[in-house]
Amino acid sequence: MSPIDLLSSFSAWSTHRKQVQSGSSNAPTSGADSQPLQKAIEALLQGFLEKLLKDLTAQLKQSDNGGSGSGGGRSPSAAPSPVSSSPSSSPSPSSPSPAPATAPSPSQVPAPSAPTPAAPAPAQAPGPTQAPPPPAPEPAPAPPTAEHPAPPATSPTPPPRTGSAAPTQTPAPAPATDSPSPTGVTKPPANMKVGAPTGVVEVNKPIVVAAGTTFDGKGQLFQAGPGMNGGGTAETQLPMFILEPGASIKNLQFKGGDGIHLMGDAKLDNVHGLQTGDDFVTVNGAGNRASDAQRAGFSSKDVPSGPAKVEITNSSFQNGHDKAIQINGDVDLKLKGIYADNIGQLAVTRGGYPITANVELSDATLQNLKSFTFRFDSKQSTVNIANTDVDGGKTPVNVMAGDPSKIKGADSVRQSVQTVG
C-alpha cells in the first residue's frame, strides 16, 4: 500500500471513529478501536512520513551535487528517477523495509556519472599514443632522394642537345655533327645512320641561295613536292636548291628532285642526301648554268671565270641509282668526311667532254658502290685519295681516268674508254 492509500485509510478510520464517539454512526465497534491501537497507528504513520521526507530530502541534495559536478543539463534528468522508483519499490506500508529499498536507486544515479568522467581519461590516452605518427615526416627525406636522381637525368640530356644545336641536330648520329667545321673532319663509321630531322619542309620550286650567303637548314628535311617533277623524267626534274656563286649551305637533309645545283664556288657542310631521282649534287657547266641562272634571276655573265672551287664536308649520299656528284664544268673539288652507300659512283664528269676535275678525297667511308669511285675522261683531271675505303676494305677503290698516272691513292685505275685531251 502506498503512503497516499495509508493516509486515506487513516483519514477514513479517524472520521469513522469520531462518528462512533459522537454516536452519529450505527456501525459496531471492534477491538481495533481502542485508544492504544490508534496511537500505535499514528506513531507508525508519523515515523513512516518522517522517514520518507528524510529520504526525499537526501535524494534532492544528492541530485543537486551531481548536477554541479557533471554537465548542467544532466542533473534534472537524474532527479525524477529516484522519486518514481521510491514509491513503486515499497510493496506495503506494514513493513518499514521498503524504505531502505529506495536507497539503492539514488546510489545508482551517481554510478553512471562516475564512470562517465573516467571514460574520457582513457579516451585521451590513445591520443598521445597516436602522436608518434608524426614520424611520418620521415617520408620527407624521400623528396631529396627523388630530386637527387632528377638532376642527373636532366643534365645529361641538355649537353648533347646544346652541343648539336649549332650544327643542327639532324645528323646527330653522323660524325659530321660532331665536327661540323671543315677543320674538324672525322671519318664516318660504316653503316652510318643520319639522325631524325627536326622538321619536314615540302619544296615545290627551287630554293635559291644568294651569292655570298649561307643557307642553314637547321636540321630539317627538305622533301621534293609535286612541283619539282618538271617534265616527269629523271633528267627533267628541277633542283631542290640553286646556289649562286660563293653561296654556302649547311645542316640539312634533302630527298627527291635533282638535288643541289652549284653555279660557281660553293661550300656544303653537314648536308645529307637521303634519296634522289637523278644526282645529289651538280657542278654546272655552260649549258645548265644558263638555265639555273634564269630560274634564280641571276645573270650568267656575273659568274666568275675559271674552275669552280667546291668544298663538301661532313656529308653523305645514300640510295641513288646513278652518280652522287655530276661534274659539267671545270672544278677544284675537295671531299672530306664523306659517307656514301648504295649509289652508282661517287663523282663523274660528263662523258666524252674535256672537263678538268681536280679532286681530293679524304676520310671517306663508301659502301655498296655499283661502279667506279670516280670516272674522269679528261687527261687533265687529277685525283688524290687518302684514308678512304670501300666496304671496309673488302672492295678496292677503283678509278677510271683519262690519264691513270694522275690518280693517287686508288687501289685500281683503268683507262677511260672515252678519253679526251
Side-chain angles (χ1 to χ4, degrees), residues 21-414:
Q21 288 178 353
S22 63
S24 60
S25 173
N26 298 325
T29 61
S30 65
D33 296 331
S34 62
Q35 192 71 13
L37 179 60
Q38 177 181 351
K39 289 181 179 182
I41 293 174
E42 289 177 355
L44 178 63
L45 179 60
Q46 182 177 0
F48 176 79
L49 291 176
E50 288 177 356
K51 176 66 174 174
L52 179 62
L53 181 61
K54 188 183 290 186
D55 289 344
L56 290 175
T57 303
Q59 290 178 9
L60 288 174
K61 286 182 179 181
Q62 192 171 8
S63 64
D64 289 343
N65 293 336
S68 62
S70 60
R74 296 180 63 177
S75 62
S77 63
S81 150
V83 176
S84 60
S85 64
S86 169
S88 61
S89 61
S90 56
S92 153
S94 61
S95 164
S97 60
T102 57
S105 90
S107 65
Q108 291 170 355
V109 175
S113 62
T116 306
Q124 291 181 352
T129 56
Q130 292 176 356
E138 293 181 1
T145 320
E147 291 172 3
H148 182 57
T154 333
S155 61
T157 309
R161 294 292 180 188
T162 310
S164 60
T168 310
Q169 296 135 348
T170 307
T177 309
D178 298 331
S179 49
S181 64
T183 56
V185 173
T186 58
K187 182 178 180 181
N191 303 311
M192 187 194 82
K193 301 297 181 185
V194 177
T198 58
V200 178
V201 178
E202 184 178 278
V203 181
N204 284 296
K205 65 178 182 178
I207 298 172
V208 177
V209 183
T213 66
T214 299
F215 180 89
D216 188 347
K218 299 180 179 179
Q220 299 180 98
L221 167 62
F222 294 81
Q223 185 164 315
M228 306 302 291
N229 192 24
T233 66
E235 294 296 334
T236 58
Q237 292 185 84
L238 299 179
M240 299 275 287
F241 294 90
I242 298 175
L243 273 61
E244 294 179 355
S248 299
I249 190 170
K250 65 179 182 179
N251 303 328
L252 61 84
Q253 304 171 26
F254 66 94
K255 183 177 182 180
D258 196 32
I260 302 172
H261 283 198
L262 312 178
M263 295 178 62
D265 296 353
K267 290 184 179 180
L268 285 70
D269 182 51
N270 205 20
V271 173
H272 301 273
L274 305 184
Q275 180 273 327
T276 182
D278 194 13
D279 308 319
F280 289 99
V281 177
T282 299
V283 178
N284 284 349
N288 55 355
R289 181 181 294 122
S291 300
D292 285 340
Q294 184 177 5
R295 295 187 185 107
F298 186 86
S299 173
S300 59
K301 295 179 181 179
D302 294 333
V303 177
S305 60
K309 297 185 183 331
V310 176
E311 190 173 282
I312 303 176
T313 54
N314 306 310
S315 300
S316 66
F317 310 105
Q318 302 181 56
N319 305 313
H321 76 281
D322 204 351
K323 59 273 180 193
I325 303 170
Q326 172 68 45
I327 301 173
N328 293 331
D330 292 348
V331 65
D332 292 336
L333 176 62
K334 292 183 179 180
L335 304 172
K336 299 179 181 180
I338 300 300
Y339 176 80
D341 182 24
N342 190 30
I343 61 172
Q345 302 169 86
L346 183 57
V348 302
T349 55
R350 186 176 180 184
Y353 281 75
I355 298 170
T356 300
N358 298 308
V359 180
E360 293 181 8
L361 173 65
S362 61
D363 304 316
T365 301
L366 313 177
Q367 295 179 189
N368 303 310
L369 298 184
K370 298 180 176 69
S371 185
F372 296 94
T373 302
F374 297 118
R375 195 206 73 208
F376 302 139
D377 296 332
S378 171
K379 292 181 179 180
Q380 307 305 317
S381 296
T382 63
V383 174
N384 286 295
I385 301 173
N387 194 26
T388 296
D389 61 72
V390 179
D391 299 324
K394 297 177 182 178
T395 302
V397 179
N398 294 319
V399 175
M400 179 179 281
D403 184 353
S405 66
K406 294 182 179 178
I407 310 302
K408 308 299 181 185
D411 297 319
S412 172
V413 182
R414 290 179 58 183

